Amino acid sequence: MTLSLRRRAASFARIALPKLACVAGEPSGDLLAAPVLHALNQIPEMASLSAYGVGGPLMQAEGFDSRWPMETLSVRGYVEALTQLPAILRLRKDLLNTLIQLDRPDVFLGIDAPDFNLGVELKLRAAGIPTVHFVSPSIWAWRGGRIKKIKQAVDRMLCIFPFETEIYARAGIAASYVGHPLASTIPIEVDPKSARDRLSSFPELKSAGIERADLDGLVIAVLPGSRGSEIEFIAPVFFEAMGLIANRLQGQSLQFVIPVATPRLRPALENLAAQMRAQHPDIQIHLIDGNADTILEAADVVLIASGTATLQAALWKKPMVISYKVPWLTAQIMKRQGYLPYVGLPNILAGEFVVPELLQDDATPEKLTQAVLHWLGKPLELARLKERFAVLHETLRKPTGLLVAQAITQTITESRQGRQIS
């Protein structure tokens, strides 16, 4: 074969095998991206798709090649990011060099993480690589000026909330509503009894001597976050609140169940749990690896850090108390760029405070305890809340993974057709 023919064959091979580069910078992004990869594997023309970049274990289970560690990007807040900045910049430089110079994809999919992904998308789009961003930044809540950068960086925005597409249409940015993937994975009807049956079989509870009958009492799910910074700032307050709640409900059957988002968080949480057991010998605290959905479905009430997990709890129709703490400087910066009076997704989507939020100085053990206990013995309030969450669930319920996969397939097809014409 002549050199010219070999070059043409190599060029054809590169075109024949579709490539998707993707960055999911935290566990919630891993959760969002995995159904997309699964759906792509079901589309015939994407059967030989090569998907690579930054991702977590759920994505890797769908055949994703994670070439850089997701943990590097799993930080929240300006101050916290500064300590991780050198590692983030090294990853960014290596990623861009690989995607532009060494292994060009047909399309880049940025999963959330706008502070990182929009900058990457800007560079890639300038280099002629189509970009799709899945999960609109909350420009309707804060930092609305980012829409100018989005217009430069993103070929197509995929929105998980229905009201977002109109914002992009006004700005001249292609956008589609794809629903929220959690709304399709969580059933409309909740079955706490069945969830408690499953929970009782978990080895962490069995080793603690917890029987199924012990779960017929009060179960409080505690979700202090999935980032190291969240465990540092908010988890200690949550554990202190758990001690106060146990004191107030002394004599009642009470189990605190905490899903551990990633193994690297377990040592810090184990340490906090040990301290609380030393102060309250009878307290029942159980750390479960993952299984947040089962724990949320089984729970009577939820104490939770602000983030995607609050929507997860709402879709399970659970009363909750939302809280968050960040360093003082981070809080001041965020406060000056916000437009809404709430930070929790259930409240944002409802357009009002349907569940309490206790942030920064208000995030005290005493106030958290009072807010959690408020939900107990309020059947009418609980019924109204469940109705609100059921309506929200129906609105967000779409075949999200498939819709995102179709958007990616369409982008790859259009990109290849454009290269053939040129």
Side-chain angles (χ1 to χ4, degrees), residues 77-138:
Y78 299 100
V79 177
E80 300 87 329
L82 287 176
T83 61
Q84 191 74 349
L85 187 59
I88 293 173
L89 291 177
R90 285 194 299 271
L91 189 156
R92 183 178 185 272
K93 181 179 180 181
D94 193 22
L95 174 73
L96 287 171
N97 180 63
T98 299
L99 299 188
I100 294 174
Q101 302 293 337
L102 304 177
D103 195 4
R104 288 176 67 91
D106 291 287
V107 63
F108 175 83
L109 176 65
I111 304 288
D112 208 0
D115 289 325
F116 181 85
N117 275 329
L118 287 178
V120 169
E121 289 158 1
L122 191 65
K123 295 286 187 181
L124 295 179
R125 195 180 188 203
I129 297 172
T131 59
V132 177
H133 194 94
F134 177 33
V135 183
S136 165
S138 303

Side-chain angles (χ1 to χ4, degrees), residues 300-332:
D300 292 290
V301 64
V302 181
L303 176 59
I304 190 166
S306 177
T308 303
T310 62
L311 179 60
Q312 195 174 358
L315 294 173
W316 284 113
K317 324 297 185 300
K318 297 299 174 178
M320 72 190 82
V321 177
I322 298 172
S323 186
Y324 212 76
K325 292 188 77 168
V326 294
W328 181 86
L329 180 57
T330 296
Q332 298 311 304

Side-chain angles (χ1 to χ4, degrees), residues 238-250 254 256 272-285 365 369:
F238 278 17
F239 275 82
E240 288 185 48
M242 289 157 60
L244 291 178
I245 293 169
N247 278 345
R248 305 282 171 83
L249 299 178
Q250 203 164 17
L254 170 62
F256 293 102
L272 289 168
Q275 294 177 31
M276 192 51 52
R277 292 184 186 112
Q279 298 173 32
H280 305 274
D282 295 330
I283 196 169
Q284 294 290 335
I285 301 175
T369 297

Side-chain angles (χ1 to χ4, degrees), residues 165-304:
T165 54
E166 183 180 347
I167 298 172
Y168 288 104
R170 291 198 301 264
I173 301 170
S176 305
Y177 171 55
V178 297
H180 199 294
L182 287 177
S184 296
T185 59
I186 294 174
I188 295 291
E189 295 296 328
V190 178
D191 186 357
K193 182 179 180 301
S194 175
R196 293 186 182 198
D197 290 342
R198 298 194 303 275
L199 189 60
S200 67
S201 68
F202 287 1
E204 295 93 338
L205 270 71
K206 283 186 170 297
S207 64
I210 300 301
E211 304 289 342
R212 173 62 183 84
D214 296 317
L215 298 177
D216 286 332
L218 186 64
V219 175
I220 298 179
V222 181
L223 285 77
S226 60
R227 301 175 178 90
S229 59
E230 291 169 333
I231 302 306
E232 178 184 356
F233 283 99
I234 194 65
V237 184
F238 278 17
F239 275 82
E240 288 185 48
M242 289 157 60
L244 291 178
I245 293 169
N247 278 345
R248 305 282 171 83
L249 299 178
Q250 203 164 17
Q252 296 188 38
S253 175
L254 170 62
Q255 310 291 333
F256 293 102
V257 188
I258 304 172
V260 181
T262 61
R264 64 189 173 84
L265 300 180
R266 178 171 273 277
L269 291 171
E270 288 279 15
N271 184 52
L272 289 168
Q275 294 177 31
M276 192 51 52
R277 292 184 186 112
Q279 298 173 32
H280 305 274
D282 295 330
I283 196 169
Q284 294 290 335
I285 301 175
H286 312 289
L287 303 181
I288 309 294
D289 290 327
N291 290 287
D293 281 319
T294 297
I295 293 167
L296 286 170
E297 186 176 15
D300 292 290
V301 64
V302 181
L303 176 59
I304 190 166

